[in-house]
């Protein structure tokens, strides 16, 4: 693997709306991020990914961009961004933006012109097709529910939107559109942005070869995922995008690549000459310990997660670096997803943070993860804020769920749970804002907050800091990035363990991901215990005895 500057990334994702408000309007802003750079540096991170801060009507909280060149006034100004870049740089932190180019906002001037004249230049920037027999061009369901097509006025024309109807898909077949996008990307890179998380990128190409698909829901629509995800030929777009932008700036890019990449194509995506630096894949995001399928089977679920994580490593086999993340703004909090409610405490939370932390790859954390922020279940549907939540709710009702079942499912799986304001302190509104926050703060901020944990050497935050420090430490940094990966104790249920070695050092990472103790015969003599979430690691005659949810990182001789 060729060495790259971003290989030592300990990343931190920020959802700007919910990070820190500085002007008392209840919404987080860029100045709020700059104000916390010392805190982020204290944690040990060196890359920040900002969720979208471009001008937007906020139908999808910024993933509907109406002006790629401007910062939304809600977040501040371009000068605020420049200041953030400068201040971050002085602390050795690089800033990545979110590049949302599968679609724009329906308020983007390009789309407005396309609506006014679908046959004109801008009509070709979007995917506009004639309806069939008074119906949409095909029966694809949008990823966010409902038809993926919206009729234009009372014409027989429809535009495609794989997400909400306020997010029309761009037509990447059009070279003029691609050129505009490349120029825009390069302007941000010129400004000092060091790269991008590339949104919804696996949907850039659509395969229209098949008209209607068999319906698979009460809405009569069909899941067209296979036709608009990693469609044949999509690589040519990625290559062109990379050559005209990222490669010229040695930028870091993280593709949001949905599941389903054939194993042999992974290196094409993230190998030495891959389309992207790395990807966020979704392999572990489908699991929830309270979902009917896993309820009462939390250990079996951990085994399933282990299998997928290890399979991914097997697929890439050292030819590139995957991204070891657990949380983001589209998922509920990890402890809620991975640990049964009655078992959530410091030990299980720290264990969860460690399950993929030392795998080959880079690390990415989400705001609030290091202090163990939790989901804030709602007692009424209208306490949620995301239009998509309501569409999904309606869809479940149509599919036969009772109102209570549908609401339960939303409360369990809503992506909005990760979007509650950051819990900085026990001050009013968790120190997030002096005004009423745009989205309710989790009332547990009195017991779960950054200020308290920063002072406490035994807190979850302190543990994350130790994990980061170990991954970055001079002696082990290269090993954890490039060292070989060998699964261990694979048949041992509830144990996620592997070895990292590089000829010089040999390190064992064992996670006892279950509420019972485990005894294992170690594969070699112990040199030293590098880290554990318990005060002691019991080893007698080469046998290690792990307590419930104990993790340990052990250097072997
Ligand atoms: C990505 C984003 C998500 C957004 C969607 C549409 O999946 O992470 O938040 O709604 O793309 O842009
Ligand atoms: Ca604000």
């Amino acid at each position: 693997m060729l060495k790259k500057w971003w290989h030592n990334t300990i990343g931190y994702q920020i959802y700007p709306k919910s990070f820190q408000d500085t002007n008392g309007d209840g919404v987080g802003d860029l100045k709020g991020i700059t104000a916390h750079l010392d805190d982020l540096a204290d944690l040990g991170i060196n890359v920040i990914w900002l969720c979208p801060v471009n001008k937007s009507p906020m139908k999808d909280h910024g993933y509907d961009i109406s002006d790629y060149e401007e910062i939304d006034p809600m977040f501040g100004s371009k000068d605020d961004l420049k200041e953030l870049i400068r201040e971050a740089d002085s602390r050795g932190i690089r800033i990545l933006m979110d590049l949302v180019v599968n679609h724009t906002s329906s308020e983007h001037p390009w789309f407005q012109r396309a609506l006014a004249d679908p046959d004109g230049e801008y009509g070709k920037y979007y995917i506009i097709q004639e309806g069939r027999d008074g119906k949409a061009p095909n029966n694809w369901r949008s990823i966010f529910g409902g038809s993926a097509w919206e009729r234009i006025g009372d014409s027989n024309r429809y535009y495609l939107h794989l997400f909400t109807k306020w997010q029309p898909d761009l037509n990447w077949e059009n070279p003029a559109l691609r050129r505009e996008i490349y120029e825009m990307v390069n302007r941000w890179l010129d400004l000092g942005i060091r790269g991008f998380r590339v949104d919804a990128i696996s949907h850039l190409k659509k395969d229209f070869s098949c008209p209607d698909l068999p319906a698979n829901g009460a809405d009569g629509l069909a899941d067209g995922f296979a036709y608009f995800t990693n469609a044949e030929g999509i690589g040519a777009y990625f290559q062109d995008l990379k050559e005209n932008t990222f490669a010229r700036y040695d930028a870091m890019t993280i593709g949001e690549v949905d599941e389903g990449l054939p194993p042999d194509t992974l290196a094409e995506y993230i190998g030495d000459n891959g389309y992207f630096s790395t990807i966020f894949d979704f392999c572990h995001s489908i699991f929830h310990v309270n979902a009917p399928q896993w309820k009462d089977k939390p250990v079996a679920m951990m085994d399933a997660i282990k299998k997928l994580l290890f399979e991914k490593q097997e697929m890439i086999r050292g030819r590139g670096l995957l991204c070891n993340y657990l949380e983001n703004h589209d998922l509920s909090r990890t402890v809620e997803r991975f640990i049964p409610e009655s078992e959530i405490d410091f030990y299980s939370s720290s264990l969860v943070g460690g399950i993929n932390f030392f795998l080959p790859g880079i690390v990415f954390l989400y705001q609030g993860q290091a202090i163990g922020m939790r989901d804030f279940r709602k007692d009424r549907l209208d306490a949620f804020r995301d239009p998509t939540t309501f569409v999904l709710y309606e869809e479940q009702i149509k599919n036969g769920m009772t109102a209570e079942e549908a609401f339960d499912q939303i409360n369990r799986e809503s992506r909005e749970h990760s979007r509650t304001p950051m819990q900085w302190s026990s001050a009013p509104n968790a120190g997030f804002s002096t005004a009423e926050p745009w989205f309710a703060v989790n009332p547990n901020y009195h017991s779960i907050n950054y200020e308290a944990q920063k002072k406490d050497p035994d807190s979850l935050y302190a543990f994350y800091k130790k994990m980061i420090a170990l991954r970055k430490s001079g002696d082990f940094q290269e090993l954890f990035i490039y060292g070989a990966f060998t699964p261990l104790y694979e048949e041992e249920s509830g144990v996620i363990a592997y070895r990292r070695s590089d000829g010089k050092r040999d390190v064992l990472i064992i996670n006892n991901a279950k509420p019972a103790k485990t005894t294992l015969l170690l594969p070699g003599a112990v040199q030293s215990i590098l880290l554990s979430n318990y005060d002691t690691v019991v080893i007698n005659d080469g046998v290690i005895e792990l307590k419930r949810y104990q993790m340990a990182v052990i250097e072997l001789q």
Side-chain angles (χ1 to χ4, degrees):
M1 200 184 321
L2 292 173
K3 295 203 170 167
K4 309 270 171 72
W5 68 263
W6 52 267
H7 280 179
N8 66 355
T9 295
I10 307 287
Y12 190 97
Q13 179 193 353
I14 290 183
Y15 196 69
K17 276 186 99 169
S18 299
F19 194 64
Q20 177 72 65
D21 174 26
T22 58
N23 64 345
D25 64 356
V27 183
D29 41 55
L30 288 169
K31 281 193 187 319
I33 300 171
T34 307
H36 282 291
L37 284 172
D38 283 335
D39 296 317
L40 298 176
D42 176 71
L43 179 58
I45 64 107
N46 52 21
V47 169
I48 290 174
W49 149 34
L50 299 177
C51 281
V53 291
N54 301 90
K55 200 148 189 284
S56 164
M58 300 286 160
K59 295 284 191 203
D60 188 13
H61 302 280
Y63 284 93
D64 49 325
I65 294 175
S66 56
D67 188 343
Y68 284 114
E69 309 295 333
E70 291 301 329
I71 300 296
D72 196 280
M74 171 186 281
F75 298 122
S77 65
K78 212 175 250 180
D79 283 338
D80 293 341
L81 181 70
K82 287 187 196 156
E83 188 191 17
L84 171 61
I85 295 173
R86 232 180 10 254
E87 288 295 319
D89 193 58
S90 73
R91 292 165 178 82
I93 298 174
R94 272 90 175 218
I95 304 287
L96 311 183
M97 285 176 91
D98 214 310
L99 184 62
V100 188
V101 290
N102 175 69
H103 45 267
T104 65
S105 156
S106 50
E107 289 181 29
H108 195 290
W110 297 342
F111 190 65
Q112 288 302 315
R113 285 177 212 144
L115 284 184
D117 179 14
D119 295 316
E121 189 187 343
Y122 289 96
K124 299 187 187 67
Y125 273 39
Y126 293 89
I127 300 174
I128 297 177
Q129 291 187 6
E130 293 286 324
R132 288 183 311 140
D133 314 321
K135 289 197 313 224
N138 68 26
N139 67 346
W140 288 352
R141 185 184 296 114
S142 140
I143 296 172
F144 285 173
S147 169
W149 297 93
E150 184 75 7
R151 191 173 189 157
I152 303 182
D154 51 14
S155 73
N156 187 36
R157 288 182 152 134
Y158 293 73
Y159 71 84
L160 181 75
H161 60 90
L162 293 185
F163 295 92
T164 70
K165 66 176 176 190
W166 302 286
Q167 294 163 294
D169 278 58
L170 286 165
N171 175 20
W172 274 72
E173 311 273 343
N174 180 354
L177 175 268
R178 295 206 300 269
R179 221 166 19 248
E180 288 233 38
I181 298 282
Y182 302 161
E183 285 166 11
M184 173 274 287
V185 169
N186 292 341
R187 279 191 287 275
W188 287 111
L189 291 166
D190 284 333
L191 195 92
I193 290 295
R194 294 303 301 274
F196 300 91
R197 175 266 193 177
V198 198
D199 184 68
I201 201 70
S202 43
H203 306 304
L204 282 198
K205 193 169 178 99
K206 285 86 177 169
D207 171 1
F208 290 110
S209 63
C210 194
D212 281 357
L213 302 165
N216 68 343
D219 53 8
L221 299 170
D223 177 6
F225 228 67
Y227 294 85
F228 52 68
T229 309
N230 305 317
E232 176 90 41
I234 196 169
Y237 292 158
F238 296 157
Q239 188 64 26
D240 202 45
L241 169 63
K242 176 188 161 185
E243 279 168 15
N244 285 287
T245 59
F246 314 142
R248 299 184 179 179
Y249 293 79
D250 195 16
M252 169 177 186
T253 55
I254 315 178
E256 187 200 18
V257 174
D258 291 321
E259 268 316 275
L261 273 192
D264 50 327
T265 58
L266 198 51
E268 218 174 277
Y269 277 70
I270 62 170
D272 282 341
N273 297 307
Y275 308 130
F276 303 105
S277 308
T278 180
I279 56 169
F280 284 124
D281 83 80
F282 297 172
C283 77
H284 55 71
S285 67
I286 50 174
F287 295 95
H288 200 300
V289 82
N290 293 329
Q293 194 189 353
W294 298 112
K295 223 173 162 42
D296 311 318
K297 285 185 264 171
V299 181
M301 191 185 93
M302 280 294 184
D303 291 338
I305 293 173
K306 161 169 83 173
K307 190 160 171 281
L308 290 179
L309 288 175
F310 287 6
E311 265 170 23
K312 274 272 138 63
Q313 292 297 336
E314 181 51 34
M315 275 185 202
I316 190 66
R317 284 197 313 280
R319 291 170 298 169
L321 296 183
L322 288 159
C323 188
N324 303 326
Y325 79 101
L326 293 171
E327 296 194 3
N328 65 34
H329 65 293
D330 290 327
L331 294 168
S332 64
R333 296 286 180 176
T334 2
V335 285
E336 309 271 355
R337 280 184 281 129
F338 289 8
I339 306 290
E341 172 85 38
S342 59
E343 297 286 349
I344 298 178
D345 63 6
F346 166 80
Y347 297 106
S348 56
S349 306
S350 49
L351 174 289
V352 162
I355 59 176
N356 63 355
F357 199 91
F358 296 101
L359 284 173
I362 63 164
V363 168
F364 239 93
L365 306 178
Y366 178 63
Q367 68 186 45
Q369 180 180 343
I371 57 168
M373 274 178 63
R374 302 276 305 270
D375 292 356
F376 176 26
R377 305 261 157 83
K378 312 290 185 241
D379 50 16
R380 2 174 274 281
L381 190 64
D382 66 3
F384 287 105
R385 289 282 168 276
D386 183 7
T388 302
T389 299
F390 307 113
V391 177
L392 293 176
Y393 176 84
E394 291 303 328
E395 212 168 69
Q396 297 303 15
I397 300 276
K398 271 194 211 143
N399 283 335
M401 278 193 187
T402 64
E404 200 188 338
E405 286 165 346
F407 183 59
D408 261 11
Q409 178 168 342
I410 298 285
N411 242 343
R412 180 175 68 235
E413 290 171 10
S414 172
R415 61 180 189 160
E416 295 189 66
H417 286 313
S418 54
R419 302 174 180 184
T420 58
M422 178 68 190
Q423 294 166 208
W424 291 108
S425 70
S426 56
N429 301 321
F432 162 72
S433 174
T434 51
E436 191 187 332
W438 72 277
F439 192 33
V441 176
N442 192 324
N444 70 12
Y445 70 86
H446 295 285
S447 54
I448 300 179
N449 69 66
Y450 170 74
E451 207 177 75
Q453 294 198 21
K454 196 181 168 191
K455 282 190 277 209
D456 175 3
D458 295 321
S459 65
L460 185 64
Y461 176 81
F463 181 76
Y464 266 92
K465 250 180 98 162
K466 285 183 213 158
M467 286 204 293
I468 292 172
L470 174 57
R471 236 198 117 119
K472 283 169 65 175
S473 73
D475 288 351
F476 295 98
Q477 186 173 51
E478 296 259 314
L479 170 80
F480 286 128
I481 300 172
Y482 305 110
F485 158 83
T486 320
L488 275 180
Y489 311 116
E490 271 188 287
E491 300 311 318
E492 204 56 57
S493 182
V495 172
I496 303 180
Y498 47 92
R499 207 164 171 163
R500 302 296 313 275
S501 46
D502 63 2
K504 287 191 290 237
R505 290 175 188 276
D506 197 0
V507 172
L508 188 61
I509 295 99
I510 315 185
N511 298 284
N512 182 33
K514 61 175 188 279
K517 71 172 191 186
T518 299
T519 309
L520 300 165
L521 181 64
L522 291 174
V526 173
Q527 171 85 23
S528 66
I529 309 290
L530 300 174
L531 183 70
S532 178
N533 56 348
Y534 277 74
D535 288 341
T536 51
V537 179
V538 179
I539 301 175
N540 288 314
D541 297 331
V543 172
I544 186 168
E545 195 182 299
L546 294 155
K547 302 197 180 63
R548 70 178 269 286
Y549 297 113
Q550 181 165 19
M551 70 84 78
V553 184
I554 300 169
E555 187 177 8
L556 298 176
Q557 278 170 14

